[in-house]
Coordinates of all heavy atoms in Angstrom, one line a residue:
V17 N -48.7 -0.7 99.0 CA -47.3 -0.8 99.4 C -47.0 -2.2 99.9 O -47.6 -2.7 100.9 CB -46.9 0.3 100.4 CG1 -45.4 0.2 100.7 CG2 -47.3 1.6 100.0
A18 N -46.0 -2.9 99.4 CA -45.5 -4.1 99.9 C -44.3 -3.8 100.8 O -43.5 -2.9 100.5 CB -45.0 -5.1 98.8
V19 N -44.2 -4.5 102.0 CA -43.1 -4.2 102.9 C -42.4 -5.6 103.3 O -43.1 -6.5 103.7 CB -43.7 -3.6 104.2 CG1 -42.6 -3.3 105.2 CG2 -44.4 -2.3 103.9
T20 N -41.1 -5.6 103.1 CA -40.4 -6.8 103.6 C -39.8 -6.4 104.9 O -39.7 -5.2 105.3 CB -39.2 -7.1 102.7 OG1 -38.1 -6.2 102.8 CG2 -39.6 -7.2 101.2
G21 N -39.5 -7.4 105.8 CA -39.0 -7.1 107.1 C -40.1 -6.5 108.0 O -39.9 -5.8 108.9
S22 N -41.4 -6.9 107.6 CA -42.5 -6.3 108.3 C -42.7 -6.7 109.8 O -43.5 -6.1 110.5 CB -43.8 -6.7 107.5 OG -44.0 -8.1 107.4
S23 N -42.0 -7.8 110.2 CA -42.1 -8.2 111.6 C -41.0 -7.6 112.5 O -41.0 -7.8 113.7 CB -42.0 -9.7 111.7 OG -40.7 -10.2 111.2
G24 N -40.1 -6.8 111.9 CA -39.1 -6.2 112.6 C -39.6 -4.9 113.3 O -40.7 -4.4 113.1
L25 N -38.7 -4.3 114.1 CA -39.0 -3.0 114.8 C -39.5 -1.9 113.9 O -40.6 -1.3 114.1 CB -37.8 -2.5 115.6 CG -37.9 -1.2 116.3 CD1 -38.9 -1.3 117.5 CD2 -36.6 -0.7 116.8
V26 N -38.8 -1.7 112.8 CA -39.2 -0.6 111.8 C -40.3 -1.0 111.0 O -41.3 -0.3 110.8 CB -38.0 -0.2 110.9 CG1 -38.3 0.8 110.0 CG2 -36.8 0.2 111.8
G27 N -40.3 -2.3 110.5 CA -41.4 -2.8 109.7 C -42.8 -2.8 110.4 O -43.8 -2.4 109.8
R28 N -42.8 -3.2 111.6 CA -44.1 -3.2 112.4 C -44.6 -1.7 112.5 O -45.8 -1.5 112.3 CB -43.9 -3.8 113.8 CG -43.7 -5.2 113.8 CD -43.9 -5.8 115.2 NE -43.1 -5.1 116.2 CZ -41.9 -5.3 116.6 NH1 -41.2 -6.3 116.0 NH2 -41.3 -4.6 117.6
A29 N -43.8 -0.8 112.8 CA -44.2 0.6 113.0 C -44.6 1.2 111.7 O -45.6 1.9 111.6 CB -43.1 1.4 113.6
L30 N -43.9 0.9 110.6 CA -44.2 1.4 109.3 C -45.6 0.9 108.8 O -46.4 1.7 108.3 CB -43.1 1.1 108.3 CG -43.4 1.6 106.8 CD1 -43.5 3.1 106.8 CD2 -42.4 1.1 105.9
C31 N -45.8 -0.4 108.9 CA -47.1 -1.0 108.5 C -48.3 -0.4 109.2 O -49.3 -0.1 108.6 CB -47.0 -2.5 108.6 SG -45.9 -3.4 107.5
A32 N -48.1 -0.2 110.5 CA -49.2 0.4 111.3 C -49.5 1.8 110.9 O -50.6 2.2 110.7 CB -48.9 0.3 112.8
F33 N -48.4 2.6 110.7 CA -48.5 3.9 110.2 C -49.2 4.1 108.9 O -50.1 4.9 108.7 CB -47.1 4.6 110.2 CG -47.1 6.0 109.6 CD1 -47.4 7.1 110.4 CD2 -46.9 6.2 108.3 CE1 -47.4 8.4 109.9 CE2 -46.9 7.5 107.8 CZ -47.2 8.6 108.6
L34 N -48.8 3.3 107.9 CA -49.4 3.3 106.6 C -50.8 2.9 106.6 O -51.7 3.5 105.9 CB -48.6 2.4 105.6 CG -47.2 2.9 105.3 CD1 -46.5 1.8 104.4 CD2 -47.2 4.2 104.6
S35 N -51.2 1.9 107.4 CA -52.6 1.4 107.5 C -53.5 2.5 108.1 O -54.6 2.7 107.6 CB -52.6 0.2 108.3 OG -51.9 -0.9 107.7
T36 N -53.0 3.2 109.1 CA -53.9 4.2 109.7 C -54.1 5.4 108.7 O -55.0 6.2 108.8 CB -53.3 4.8 111.0 OG1 -52.0 5.2 110.8 CG2 -53.3 3.7 112.1
G37 N -53.1 5.6 107.7 CA -53.3 6.6 106.7 C -54.2 6.2 105.6 O -54.3 7.0 104.6
G38 N -54.7 5.0 105.6 CA -55.6 4.5 104.6 C -54.9 3.8 103.4 O -55.6 3.5 102.4
H39 N -53.6 3.6 103.5 CA -52.9 2.9 102.5 C -53.1 1.4 102.6 O -53.3 0.8 103.7 CB -51.4 3.2 102.5 CG -51.1 4.7 102.4 ND1 -51.3 5.4 101.3 CD2 -50.7 5.6 103.4 CE1 -51.0 6.7 101.5 NE2 -50.7 6.8 102.8
R40 N -53.0 0.6 101.5 CA -53.1 -0.8 101.5 C -51.7 -1.4 101.7 O -50.8 -1.0 101.0 CB -53.7 -1.3 100.2 CG -53.7 -2.9 100.1 CD -54.3 -3.3 98.8 NE -54.1 -4.7 98.6 CZ -53.1 -5.2 97.8 NH1 -52.3 -4.4 97.1 NH2 -53.0 -6.5 97.6
V41 N -51.5 -2.2 102.7 CA -50.2 -2.8 103.0 C -50.2 -4.3 102.8 O -51.1 -5.0 103.3 CB -49.8 -2.5 104.5 CG1 -48.5 -3.1 104.9 CG2 -49.8 -1.0 104.8
L42 N -49.2 -4.7 102.0 CA -49.0 -6.1 101.8 C -47.7 -6.5 102.4 O -46.6 -6.0 102.0 CB -49.0 -6.4 100.3 CG -48.9 -7.8 99.8 CD1 -50.2 -8.6 100.1 CD2 -48.6 -7.9 98.3
R43 N -47.7 -7.4 103.4 CA -46.5 -7.8 104.1 C -45.9 -9.0 103.4 O -46.6 -10.0 103.2 CB -46.8 -8.1 105.6 CG -47.3 -7.0 106.4 CD -48.0 -7.4 107.7 NE -48.3 -6.3 108.5 CZ -49.5 -5.6 108.4 NH1 -50.3 -5.9 107.5 NH2 -49.7 -4.6 109.2
L44 N -44.6 -9.0 103.1 CA -43.9 -10.1 102.6 C -43.2 -10.8 103.8 O -42.5 -10.2 104.6 CB -42.8 -9.7 101.6 CG -43.2 -9.6 100.2 CD1 -44.3 -8.5 100.0 CD2 -42.0 -9.3 99.3
V45 N -43.6 -12.1 104.0 CA -43.2 -12.9 105.2 C -42.5 -14.2 104.7 O -42.8 -14.7 103.6 CB -44.4 -13.1 106.1 CG1 -45.0 -11.9 106.6 CG2 -45.4 -14.0 105.4
R46 N -41.7 -14.7 105.6 CA -41.0 -16.0 105.3 C -41.7 -17.2 105.9 O -41.2 -18.3 105.7 CB -39.6 -15.9 105.7 CG -38.7 -15.0 104.7 CD -37.3 -14.9 105.1 NE -37.2 -14.0 106.3 CZ -36.0 -13.7 106.8 NH1 -34.9 -14.2 106.3 NH2 -36.0 -12.9 107.9
R47 N -42.8 -17.0 106.7 CA -43.6 -18.1 107.2 C -44.8 -18.3 106.4 O -45.0 -17.5 105.4 CB -44.0 -17.8 108.7 CG -44.6 -16.4 108.8 CD -45.2 -16.1 110.1 NE -45.6 -14.7 110.3 CZ -46.7 -14.2 109.7 NH1 -47.4 -15.0 108.9 NH2 -47.0 -12.9 109.9
P48 N -45.7 -19.3 106.6 CA -46.9 -19.4 105.9 C -47.7 -18.1 105.9 O -47.9 -17.5 107.0 CB -47.6 -20.5 106.5 CG -46.5 -21.4 107.1 CD -45.4 -20.4 107.5
A49 N -48.2 -17.6 104.8 CA -48.8 -16.3 104.7 C -50.3 -16.4 105.2 O -51.0 -17.4 105.0 CB -48.8 -15.9 103.2
E50 N -50.7 -15.3 105.8 CA -52.1 -15.1 106.3 C -52.7 -14.0 105.4 O -52.1 -13.6 104.4 CB -52.1 -14.8 107.8 CG -51.5 -15.9 108.6 CD -51.4 -15.5 110.1 OE1 -51.9 -14.4 110.4 OE2 -50.9 -16.3 110.9
A51 N -53.9 -13.5 105.8 CA -54.5 -12.5 105.1 C -53.6 -11.2 105.1 O -53.0 -10.9 106.1 CB -55.9 -12.1 105.7
G52 N -53.5 -10.6 103.9 CA -52.7 -9.4 103.8 C -51.2 -9.7 103.7 O -50.4 -8.7 103.8
E53 N -50.8 -10.9 103.4 CA -49.4 -11.3 103.4 C -49.1 -12.1 102.1 O -50.0 -12.7 101.5 CB -49.1 -12.1 104.6 CG -49.2 -11.4 105.9 CD -48.9 -12.3 107.1 OE1 -48.9 -13.5 107.0 OE2 -48.8 -11.7 108.2
V54 N -47.9 -12.1 101.7 CA -47.4 -12.9 100.7 C -46.1 -13.6 101.2 O -45.2 -12.9 101.8 CB -47.0 -12.1 99.4 CG1 -46.3 -12.9 98.4 CG2 -48.3 -11.5 98.8
R55 N -46.0 -14.9 101.0 CA -44.8 -15.6 101.4 C -43.7 -15.4 100.4 O -43.9 -15.5 99.2 CB -45.1 -17.1 101.6 CG -43.9 -17.8 102.2 CD -44.2 -19.3 102.5 NE -43.1 -20.0 103.1 CZ -42.0 -20.5 102.5 NH1 -42.0 -20.4 101.1 NH2 -41.0 -21.0 103.1
W56 N -42.5 -15.2 100.9 CA -41.3 -15.2 100.0 C -40.2 -15.9 100.8 O -40.1 -15.9 102.0 CB -40.9 -13.8 99.5 CG -40.2 -12.9 100.5 CD1 -40.5 -12.7 101.8 CD2 -39.1 -12.1 100.2 NE1 -39.6 -11.8 102.4 CE2 -38.7 -11.4 101.5 CE3 -38.3 -11.8 99.1 CZ2 -37.7 -10.6 101.5 CZ3 -37.3 -10.9 99.2 CH2 -36.9 -10.3 100.4
D57 N -39.3 -16.5 100.0 CA -38.1 -17.2 100.6 C -36.9 -16.8 99.7 O -36.6 -17.5 98.7 CB -38.3 -18.7 100.6 CG -37.2 -19.4 101.4 OD1 -36.1 -18.8 101.6 OD2 -37.4 -20.5 101.9

């Protein structure tokens, strides 16, 4: 699952919830990407 807005209140909680369930989470971010992230502008 890719998630935009992953640094916001809802996005942070959703990413943590999905990860603990064993799902793979890909965060779309607007800063330089780190592991598990993809940059988008």
Side-chain angles (χ1 to χ4, degrees):
V17 184
V19 180
T20 75
S22 58
S23 62
L25 175 69
V26 180
R28 292 194 309 271
L30 177 65
C31 289
F33 174 84
L34 292 175
S35 295
T36 55
H39 304 288
R40 173 178 171 260
V41 176
L42 185 68
R43 295 167 174 83
L44 271 63
V45 299
R46 286 178 286 182
R47 52 171 172 73
E50 300 176 359
E53 299 177 343
V54 171
R55 186 179 183 276
W56 78 315
D57 188 339

